[in-house]
């Protein structure tokens, strides 16, 4: 476990530094890193501080959050096919952002779009908690999340269908593909508190997740309050996914794929998988973002598209493997 965490951490640091040195301008890596700490405020310093650094930080924060929340959801539901978007928060956040673009609110302020997405995420949380009820179990939570996700998806499609402005429709479509391009430190400071709060709420449930491996009855016998644990998990996951979706759009499969890959390396303890998945998620999103800038730097390939292209085949493999185990 320690070796895995050290390897992931070293990989993350290496990718972070690599992300800072990759760009359209042919500038040596040493000069790029030196410009980050320079006091002359030249063009390269501004590029490093206002464009590359926020992008690299957001990749770490959002990737770590999605991996962390994905491991928590899989541990709570005891299902390797679970992922953070299952509770419908990402769909609700996307709907809030889409409405902001459609109404022109997003053009009025830089923060209008992320705040609209956060409002959508909070609305989704409230509806999920109402539908699931205070004593609802994991199945009720899944059904409530699917219902909210389906409703948000339908309303998003309706907004696209009724959009009279072709440019607004294109902006909605591109935003829903997910991207870290053109983000600033403002977006970092907006997303970071949601990640920290969400991670703190989920971390409190670590002992309960380990106890749940023995079953719900055994967990309650060990003194785990399942209702309280469910609320903490939902709120924590919602904060992470809502904050990430608000600043980067919809990015899928990270919370599904990363815990699945790392689970055989950490054993059967969900609490240990949480932190490994956080580092793994950050590594995966950094790697995906770097791949975009290296393969098609001029075509603005979206981050959500890359993660889906990587995650979908692994998801299909997971379904096939699960089916074989049931036969």
């Amino acid at each position: 476990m320690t070796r895995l965490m050290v390897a992931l951490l070293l990989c993350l640091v290496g990718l972070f530094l690599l992300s800072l040195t990759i760009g359209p301008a042919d500038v040596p890596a040493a000069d790029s890193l030196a410009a980050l700490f320079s006091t002359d405020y030249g063009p390269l310093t501004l590029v490093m501080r206002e464009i590359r650094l926020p992008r690299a930080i957001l990749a770490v924060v959002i990737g770590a959050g999605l991996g962390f929340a994905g491991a928590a959801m899989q541990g709570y539901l005891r299902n390797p096919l679970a992922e953070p978007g299952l509770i419908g928060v990402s769909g609700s956040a996307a709907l809030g952002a889409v409405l902001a673009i459609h109404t022109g609110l997003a053009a009025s302020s830089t923060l209008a779009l992320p705040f609209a997405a956060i409002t959508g995420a909070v609305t989704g949380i409230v509806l999920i908690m109402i539908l699931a009820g205070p004593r609802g179990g994991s199945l009720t939570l899944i059904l409530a999340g699917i219902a909210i996700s389906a409703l948000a998806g339908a309303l998003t499609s309706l907004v696209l269908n009724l959009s009279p402005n072709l440019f607004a429709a294109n902006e909605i479509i591109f935003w829903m593909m997910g991207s870290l391009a053109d983000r600033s430190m403002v977006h970092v400071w907006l997303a970071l508190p949601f990640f920290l709060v969400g991670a703190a709420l989920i971390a409190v449930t670590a002992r309960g997740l380990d106890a749940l491996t023995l079953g719900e009855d055994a967990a309650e016998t060990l003194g785990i309050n399942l209702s309280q644990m469910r609320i903490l998990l939902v709120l924590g996951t919602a904060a992470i996914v809502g904050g990430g979706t608000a600043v980067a759009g919809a990015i899928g499969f990270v919370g599904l794929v990363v815990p699945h890959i790392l689970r055989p390396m950490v054993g059967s303890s969900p609490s240990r998988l949480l932190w490994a998945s956080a580092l793994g998620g950050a590594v995966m999103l950094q790697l995906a973002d770097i791949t975009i800038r290296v393969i098609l730097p001029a075509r603005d390939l979206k981050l959500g598209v890359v993660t889906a292209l990587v995650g979908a085949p692994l998801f299909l493999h997971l379904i096939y493997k699960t089916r074989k185990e049931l036969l």
Side-chain angles (χ1 to χ4, degrees), residues 10 14 17 28 76 101 104 121 140 162 169 184 191 214 261 289 312 321-322:
L10 290 176
L17 294 176
Y76 174 67
I101 296 172
T140 309
L162 298 178
S184 66
L214 304 174
I261 294 175
D289 191 47
K321 180 181 177 181
T322 304

Side-chain angles (χ1 to χ4, degrees), residues 22 41 56 65 68 97 103 109 124 141 151 157 159 177 181 202 206 271-272:
I22 291 179
Y41 296 102
F68 197 76
T103 58
S109 171
L141 178 64
L151 178 61
S157 299
V159 172
M177 291 180 184
I202 292 175
S271 60
R272 291 193 295 178

Side-chain angles (χ1 to χ4, degrees), residues 96 281 306 310:
V306 174
V310 174

Side-chain angles (χ1 to χ4, degrees), residues 22-312:
I22 291 179
D26 188 15
V27 179
D31 293 345
S32 296
L33 294 176
L36 185 62
F37 303 98
S38 176
T39 58
D40 63 1
Y41 296 102
L44 184 56
T45 300
L46 291 176
V47 168
M48 291 297 296
R49 293 181 182 178
E50 301 299 327
I51 298 177
R52 294 187 186 178
L53 182 61
R55 185 168 185 164
I57 294 175
L58 281 175
V60 172
V61 171
I62 296 174
L66 292 176
F68 197 76
M73 290 301 296
Q74 291 181 13
Y76 174 67
L77 299 175
R78 285 164 290 166
N79 188 339
L81 301 179
E83 59 108 15
L86 190 65
I87 61 173
V89 178
S90 56
S92 302
L95 175 60
V98 165
L99 288 173
I101 296 172
H102 177 72
T103 58
L105 184 63
S108 64
S109 171
T110 304
L111 295 177
L113 181 64
F115 274 126
I118 291 170
T119 302
V122 171
T123 304
I125 298 169
V126 173
L127 292 175
I128 288 168
M129 298 309 292
I130 292 174
L131 286 174
R135 297 179 179 273
S138 58
L139 179 59
T140 309
L141 178 64
I142 293 174
L143 293 175
I146 291 174
I148 296 302
S149 183
L151 178 61
L155 292 176
T156 301
S157 299
L158 179 63
V159 172
L160 276 169
N161 184 232
L162 298 178
S163 179
N165 189 331
L166 180 61
F167 296 103
N170 286 335
E171 186 178 354
I172 290 171
I173 292 172
F174 284 130
W175 184 86
M176 291 180 66
M177 291 180 184
S179 176
L180 295 176
D182 303 322
R183 301 302 187 265
S184 66
M185 290 303 296
V186 173
H187 295 93
V188 173
W189 294 120
L190 183 65
L192 190 58
F194 285 93
F195 165 74
L196 294 176
V197 171
L201 290 173
I202 292 175
V204 174
T205 68
R207 177 174 171 269
L209 291 175
D210 285 341
L212 266 180
T213 59
L214 304 174
E216 293 187 0
D217 293 338
E220 289 183 331
T221 303
L222 292 172
I224 303 300
N225 187 330
L226 295 181
S227 297
Q228 182 184 41
M229 179 176 148
R230 180 174 64 101
I231 292 173
L232 291 174
L233 278 173
V234 170
L235 292 178
T237 301
I240 289 172
V241 176
T245 305
V247 300
I251 299 174
F253 288 99
V254 176
L256 171 68
V257 171
V258 172
H260 172 61
I261 294 175
L262 297 178
R263 184 172 288 106
M265 306 178 193
V266 300
S268 58
S269 173
S271 60
R272 291 193 295 178
L273 183 61
L274 288 177
W275 305 107
S277 294
L279 289 176
V283 168
M284 179 178 176
L285 211 59
Q286 280 279 18
L287 192 57
D289 191 47
I290 291 172
T291 301
I292 290 171
R293 286 183 277 171
V294 171
I295 295 179
L296 292 172
R299 295 299 299 272
D300 192 25
L301 183 63
K302 297 300 180 182
L303 184 60
V305 175
V306 174
T307 57
L309 287 174
V310 174

